[in-house]
Amino acid sequence: MSTTPSFAALIVAAGRGRRAGGDIPKQWQTLAGQPVAAWTVARFRAMPQISRILLVVHPDDAAYAEEITGVTCVPGGATRAASVRAGLAALAEDPPSHVLIHDVARCTVPAEVIAAVCHALETHDGAAPGLEVSDALWRVDAGAISGTQDRGGLFRAQTPQGFDYAAITAAHDAFPGEAADDVEVARAAGLDVACVPGDEANLKITTPGDFARAEALLRTTMDIRLGNGFDVHRFGPGDHVTLCGLDIPHPRGLQGHSDADVGLHTITDALYGALAEGDIGQHFPPSDPQWKGAASDIFLKHAVALVAERGYRIANVDLTLICEAPKIGPHAPAMRAHVAGLMGLDVAQVSIKATTSERLGFTGREEGIAALATAALVRA
Ligand code: MG
């Protein structure tokens, strides 16, 4: 009786509903930069209690769904209940102690709601979020109000609806026909189902207008990505170095395939890093002769464009150049202005500073210049 509980999330996404508008089912439509289903999966992935996520999809959608969500997809059935049964069956080989069944269209479900369901399952067979009805309720016949309905004790049902895995599986196997939801199936089998606090932010996308409401909710949720960059270029013959897009007189130059602008390379790598999209060498292979002697602002502008394409904006970048010489301080204001211009940022969003390495190591011996950078991205 003291085994640690394990929670699986079963997200039902097999519907073909077109009430929300659009050419494709609502769960695959893009919302604030990614498909609805990806947002929903991310909500459960962020919960430490949830050890497994399964998406039940229409058989035609399985490959696409796995690609965009990165979770295991199970082919669903002709009805919602059949899809839930298919999902429960897919968990049978390595059964969790509990399962949370969730509608994919609720892509803004708050962490508190998921946590409350998991918590209530410690003491109940089932638990589901509900919201007390606060508006007065009418009956309307042919456009005219024909009566009022007492709202006392009435709640609006939400998901995820969580259950003891073995109990809900048996309940589904025994239930005849189509139920309104899994709570109805559970109650028919005599399970005790607690109602935990739901949330107005746990919106179910049903109509075209719901997309705008969901997007507004997602945009108020903080989504920050950080990336770091590090680069080194060695000194060689020359009469200047190119740093942060500026040519600075120096008795030696920096060697590299491009213009060897260690400053811009490092900021560029920080941006790719924040997106988890590789590094400068992957996007602009040094083996490709077209980048020989290239001005490094090409690389930086590519990374900046990729940030926008992925639905983010740059909050700030911070670059540290590590060298004994040339002295960076006198050039830092012009460098900041130039880099801000290249990136389409305000100067206040760009920090460029320098340090020596106290004459230690390769930078101390003036064999080259090293640089490191951090970039912060926020969802646009
Ligand atoms: Mg480089």
Side-chain angles (χ1 to χ4, degrees):
M1 194 56 216
S2 65
T3 53
T4 320
S6 58
F7 297 92
L10 195 65
I11 300 172
V12 188
R16 305 309 261 167
R18 300 284 163 86
R19 256 192 303 167
D23 297 332
I24 54 171
K26 60 188 173 186
Q27 61 269 34
W28 312 126
Q29 290 187 36
T30 299
L31 186 66
Q34 62 175 347
V36 168
W39 284 113
T40 311
V41 166
R43 293 282 156 149
F44 285 88
R45 199 176 260 149
M47 301 297 298
Q49 298 95 323
I50 307 289
S51 53
R52 214 172 345 156
I53 302 172
L54 217 63
L55 200 60
V56 187
V57 300
H58 188 278
D60 293 349
D61 298 340
Y64 169 74
E66 274 192 24
E67 188 190 319
I68 62 158
T69 63
V71 298
T72 305
C73 294
V74 176
T79 62
R80 186 186 183 283
S83 292
V84 171
R85 283 195 297 270
L88 292 171
L91 290 168
E93 203 167 303
D94 180 18
S97 67
H98 297 88
V99 60
L100 272 59
I101 304 170
H102 186 68
D103 290 334
V104 70
R106 292 188 187 272
C107 62
T108 57
V109 56
E112 294 75 14
V113 171
I114 302 173
V117 170
C118 291
H119 183 69
L121 288 173
E122 289 172 16
T123 46
H124 298 273
D125 302 329
L131 273 179
E132 202 165 359
V133 174
S134 56
D135 295 329
L137 296 176
W138 297 330
R139 269 187 300 275
V140 176
D141 278 325
I145 296 163
S146 61
T148 54
Q149 173 76 48
D150 180 12
R151 65 172 183 259
L154 289 184
F155 282 69
R156 290 189 281 140
Q158 298 189 331
T159 70
Q161 299 180 350
F163 307 94
D164 176 276
Y165 170 75
I168 193 66
T169 303
H172 262 284
D173 288 344
F175 194 86
E178 273 294 297
D181 61 9
D182 300 292
V183 165
E184 187 182 342
V185 173
R187 292 195 62 258
L191 303 187
D192 122 68
V193 185
C195 181
V196 302
D199 197 315
E200 290 290 354
N202 189 9
L203 176 71
K204 182 177 184 178
I205 294 179
T206 311
T207 63
D210 292 336
F211 278 93
R213 291 174 60 206
E215 185 148 1
L217 282 166
L218 290 168
R219 287 195 188 285
T220 59
T221 315
M222 213 172 275
D223 181 1
I224 295 177
R225 301 188 69 111
L226 296 181
N228 68 66
F230 177 75
D231 195 22
V232 173
H233 281 262
R234 67 167 71 236
F235 284 124
D239 59 5
H240 72 278
V241 293
T242 302
L243 282 178
C244 298
L246 303 185
D247 289 345
I248 296 168
H250 193 63
R252 282 181 291 169
L254 287 174
Q255 293 187 320
H257 195 70
S258 62
D259 64 5
D261 189 331
V262 68
L264 293 191
H265 292 184
T266 304
I267 294 172
T268 303
D269 268 347
L271 297 177
Y272 289 137
L275 293 173
E277 299 231 15
D279 59 22
I280 209 166
Q282 249 167 275
H283 294 277
F284 299 93
S287 55
D288 187 337
Q290 68 170 306
W291 312 123
K292 188 162 174 56
S296 295
D297 54 356
I298 298 172
F299 313 144
L300 181 59
K301 284 175 173 168
H302 176 266
V304 168
L306 197 59
V307 167
E309 203 175 296
R310 294 292 182 264
Y312 290 87
R313 63 182 177 81
I314 299 162
N316 74 301
V317 292
D318 179 22
L319 172 73
T320 302
L321 295 163
I322 306 166
C323 58
E324 303 291 331
K327 288 277 170 259
I328 302 301
H331 302 284
M335 287 177 173
R336 289 178 64 201
H338 184 73
V339 171
L342 289 176
M343 300 180 75
L345 300 177
D346 193 272
V347 174
Q349 294 171 281
V350 178
S351 158
I352 296 176
K353 57 199 196 298
T355 184
T356 71
S357 55
E358 297 282 341
R359 301 230 149 257
L360 298 170
F362 68 86
T363 54
R365 293 188 297 270
E366 299 194 37
E367 294 166 2
I369 298 181
L372 52 93
T374 302
L377 312 183
V378 291
R379 174 119 347 237

